[in-house]
């Protein structure tokens, strides 16, 4: 009996030690931050010292992409580890379906013994949000205001503050009050740098950032000549990408104001990340807290005389992605394809929890990542102002088409033409690769549909 009792105590001690050593995890999601909108990516104009430090001390994924370039569907993919074609969620679809939520990372983390929190823009309609996390608040820009109040409507004490400031304070409060007997997983979803669409000035930041970038002259966007706009099919030229270009970039003055505003909002988020890391250090948690940072989709800053996202060009698809683990040697650059559907698997990997077999992503820590040589990306929302489209991207090639106009195809040799200028779809010498990519994309789509039916 004494031996059995001793073994039981030993097993309990080992279990407790393992639980104690599980890392805390913070996942930070920004809204509309494109891949190069941070200093570490080579942007010499923007000031993002905290994001840069995370990249320098962690792993920076140089080829990170979303599988759907719009916030609602992309966030659903992050939540569930599934492609849009599988989970079926985007704008105008009602609530995301319960079976997919039941397999989501918040559910799996709580089952694994984590204390969970979420603050910010959830971005996915789900009536059971309040039961999904141990602590949580879902909020975004306040659309009833057509001015700066859209971003300044949350209170800390008696002060009405910008959403970025409010979100970081929610994080700090969570860190300070989280139970010490279990690890925590905190999801933070900043609304910035998303423009406040109803407002004439679009971008809003806290007053202390007013002078930041005031002496900067932002260079003209690439591919700004009429030719690159006129190369687009009519439904793109008359669609929402063009409408929002008029909101933000159609005069030199608007362009300077908008890009500087976009930078200011990112710099404000950056400052708040620094405050969160100080709170971790003060609580003695910094050395055991993993931080993952990602953007929810790419963004046009006037290229091709367009704005927004939604299209299959890399402007829309490519995002920043950093994984910082203080327990590992940092300073790494990973060139493998990394996708938004990989985030949930990565979170569970850090937590030592088993990922559902239904998930379509892989952990960013896995050697399997190096085997990914291509991926599907798609925008399936059927709405008149944004043409739905689908694409396949390999290390060298990208093929895409518009779902409602499949005869319009685009093919780019990304090795020779990384800016996607020369559409080779009509080139007789490229018909073999065009056909191969079209067939490969259709095979992937058929495979996802079969999985869904099964």
């Amino acid at each position: 009996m004494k031996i059995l009792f001793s073994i039981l105590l030993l097993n309990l001690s080992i279990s407790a030690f393992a639980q104690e050593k599980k890392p805390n995890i913070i996942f930070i999601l920004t809204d509309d931050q494109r891949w190069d909108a941070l200093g570490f990516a080579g942007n010499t104009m923007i000031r993002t010292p905290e994001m840069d430090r995370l990249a320098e001390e962690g792993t920076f994924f140089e080829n990170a992409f979303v599988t759907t370039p719009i916030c609602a569907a992309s966030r659903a993919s992050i939540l569930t580890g599934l492609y849009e074609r599988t989970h079926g969620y985007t704008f105008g679809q009602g609530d995301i379906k319960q079976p997919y939520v039941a397999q989501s990372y918040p559910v799996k983390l709580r089952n694994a013994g984590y204390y969970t929190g979420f603050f910010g823009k959830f971005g996915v309609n789900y009536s059971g949000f309040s039961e999904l996390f141990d602590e949580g608040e879902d909020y975004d820009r306040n659309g009833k205001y057509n001015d700066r109040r859209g971003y300044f409507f949350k209170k800390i004490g008696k002060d009405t503050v910008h959403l970025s400031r409010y979100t970081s304070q929610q994080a700090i409060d969570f860190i300070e009050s989280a139970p010490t007997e279990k690890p925590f997983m905190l999801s933070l979803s900043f609304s910035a740098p998303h423009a406040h669409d109803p407002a004439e000035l679009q971008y809003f930041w806290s007053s202390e950032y007013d002078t930041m970038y005031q002496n900067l002259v932002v260079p003209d966007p690439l591919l700004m000549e009429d030719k690159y706009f006129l190369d687009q099919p009519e439904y793109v030229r008359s669609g929402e990408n063009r409408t929002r270009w008029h909101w933000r970039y159609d005069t030199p003055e608007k362009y300077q104001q908008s890009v500087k505003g976009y930078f200011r909002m990112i710099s404000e988020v950056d400052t708040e990340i620094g405050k969160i890391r100080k709170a971790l250090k003060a609580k003695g948690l910094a050395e055991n807290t993993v931080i993952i940072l990602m953007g929810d989709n790419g963004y046009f800053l006037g290229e091709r005389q367009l704005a927004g996202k939604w299209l299959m060009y890399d402007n829309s698809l490519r995002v920043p992605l950093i994984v910082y683990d203080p327990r590992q040697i940092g300073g790494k650059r990973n060139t493998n394809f990394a996708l938004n559907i990989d985030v949930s698997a990565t979170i569970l990997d850090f937590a030592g929890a088993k990922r559902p077999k239904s998930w379509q992503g892989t952990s960013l820590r896995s050697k399997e990542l190096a085997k990914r040589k291509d991926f599907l990306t798609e925008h399936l929302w059927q709405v008149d102002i944004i043409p739905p489209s689908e694409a396949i991207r390999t290390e060298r090639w990208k093929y895409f088409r518009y779902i409602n106009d499949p005869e319009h195809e685009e093919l780019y040799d990304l090795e020779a033409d990384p800016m996607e200028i020369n559409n080779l779809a009509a080139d007789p010498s490229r018909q073999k690769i065009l056909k191969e990519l079209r067939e490969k994309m259709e095979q992937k789509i058929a495979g996802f549909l079969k999985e869904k039916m099964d």
Side-chain angles (χ1 to χ4, degrees), residues 125-145:
N125 287 336
Y126 179 59
S127 57
F129 171 82
S130 60
E131 288 81 47
L132 198 53
F133 301 90
D134 292 302
E135 294 182 34
E137 186 180 357
D138 174 15
Y139 52 87
D140 191 12
R141 296 157 293 127
N142 192 329
K144 73 180 181 180
Y145 299 120

Side-chain angles (χ1 to χ4, degrees), residues 182-195:
K182 58 171 66 175
F184 68 73
M185 194 279 154
L186 173 60
S187 298
L188 295 177
S189 184
F190 287 92
S191 295
H194 198 297

